[in-house]
Amino acid sequence: MIDFRNIRVLAFDADDTLWDCQSHFESVENHLYRLIAPYCDNPAHELFMTESGNMADLGYGCKAFTISIIETALRVAGDHLSAEELSDLLSDSKSLLHLPATPLPEVKETLQRLQAWPYRLAVFTKGELQDQENKLHRSGLAKYFSHVEITSNKTEVEFQQLCEHLDILPEHLLMIGNSLKSDIAPALNIGASAIHIPFHVTWQLEHSEDIEHERLVKITHFNEILKLL
Ligand SMILES: [Mg+2]
């Protein structure tokens, strides 16, 4: 059971929690899969292998994804693809830098109402600094948050640092996000509480076993946060 009287900071994940991100990435993935499908058995696995191999050096985000997309196309089907096909794939990947970041249903209204409540609101997201900042700006939601933290990864270490930067104990933090792996599990592991809002698609590197925990609540609509608090 989450002790909501203890909560001081609500930290929100951004991609696929505040706005739709993954479905735009999936559209580019499908573009790649169409190109390389004649030359391999499992296009999704080929991309997964490239992304996994690049993770330690490139991390998360659009630029890392773009490199992995082009690298996979070249590795699997480089001899068969024209410069024009590769150029189109590159443009499609780079268009993710301008995805609309339109707030998901109920997000804006809920944040608006939460402003009147005695909680500090934070964004805690992993990815590329400029891209994440740009999306937050485009979403029109930046004004609702008093703290924005963008990190290369979201593990227990970064969650501890978030608490230090906010000058709170883990028990004062409530993390809200769509990824069990990077939003929920590490928050629970450091002693914080969490609300899981699943998104309809999950990136394969974020797949995780389901979690049951006394400090975790699962909801399906963003505005259920208001009822819980
Ligand atoms: Mg997310």
Side-chain angles (χ1 to χ4, degrees), residues 26-229:
E26 285 202 349
S27 141
V28 178
E29 287 173 2
N30 288 329
H31 184 164
L32 169 75
Y33 299 161
R34 283 194 302 277
L35 287 179
I36 66 173
Y39 311 105
C40 63
D41 293 332
N42 188 340
H45 181 70
E46 297 296 339
L47 177 61
F48 178 80
M49 295 297 286
T50 314
E51 289 189 296
S52 302
N54 282 337
M55 186 55 69
D57 291 327
L58 299 177
Y60 298 90
C62 181
K63 281 180 265 181
F65 177 78
T66 298
I67 290 173
S68 291
I69 284 278
I70 299 300
E71 187 179 326
T72 306
L74 289 170
R75 176 169 57 78
V76 175
D79 294 340
H80 307 279
L81 299 175
S82 68
E84 191 182 0
E85 284 173 313
L86 287 167
S87 173
D88 286 348
L89 185 61
L90 179 61
S91 304
D92 207 10
S93 305
K94 282 177 73 180
S95 73
L96 296 171
L97 290 166
H98 304 281
L99 64 83
T102 306
L104 289 165
E106 301 151 8
V107 165
K108 194 175 169 201
E109 297 73 12
T110 302
L111 293 174
Q112 232 158 15
R113 288 190 52 196
L114 282 172
Q115 284 227 297
W117 298 28
Y119 302 104
R120 288 154 75 191
L121 305 185
V123 173
F124 183 38
T125 176
K126 68 173 185 246
E128 286 150 14
L129 183 59
Q130 180 149 28
D131 186 32
Q132 296 303 77
E133 285 176 345
N134 288 346
K135 277 187 281 192
L136 185 59
H137 178 72
R138 284 202 300 280
S139 73
L141 300 175
K143 62 186 171 192
Y144 298 113
F145 300 101
S146 59
H147 184 87
V148 176
E149 193 141 336
I150 300 164
T151 54
S152 298
N153 209 344
K154 269 160 88 174
T155 67
E156 283 83 357
V157 174
E158 289 81 11
F159 272 88
Q160 290 280 10
Q161 287 166 348
L162 174 70
C163 291
E164 284 167 28
H165 297 157
L166 289 162
D167 201 18
I168 58 169
L169 296 170
E171 67 204 61
H172 300 143
L173 178 71
L174 177 62
M175 181 69 205
I176 297 139
N178 72 296
S179 170
L180 288 167
K181 186 180 162 189
S182 62
D183 298 320
I184 307 304
L188 295 172
N189 288 346
I190 67 156
S193 300
I195 295 178
H196 182 222
I197 312 181
F199 194 61
H200 63 90
V201 283
T202 304
W203 184 32
Q204 53 186 347
L205 269 74
E206 291 287 337
H207 281 166
S208 159
E209 295 292 312
D210 198 19
I211 299 174
E212 298 287 339
H213 195 285
E214 57 179 3
R215 280 180 278 104
L216 169 64
V217 176
K218 298 169 189 182
I219 62 175
T220 50
H221 294 92
F222 198 87
N223 62 7
E224 288 173 62
I225 296 167
L226 296 168
K227 284 180 229 156
L228 285 171
L229 293 168

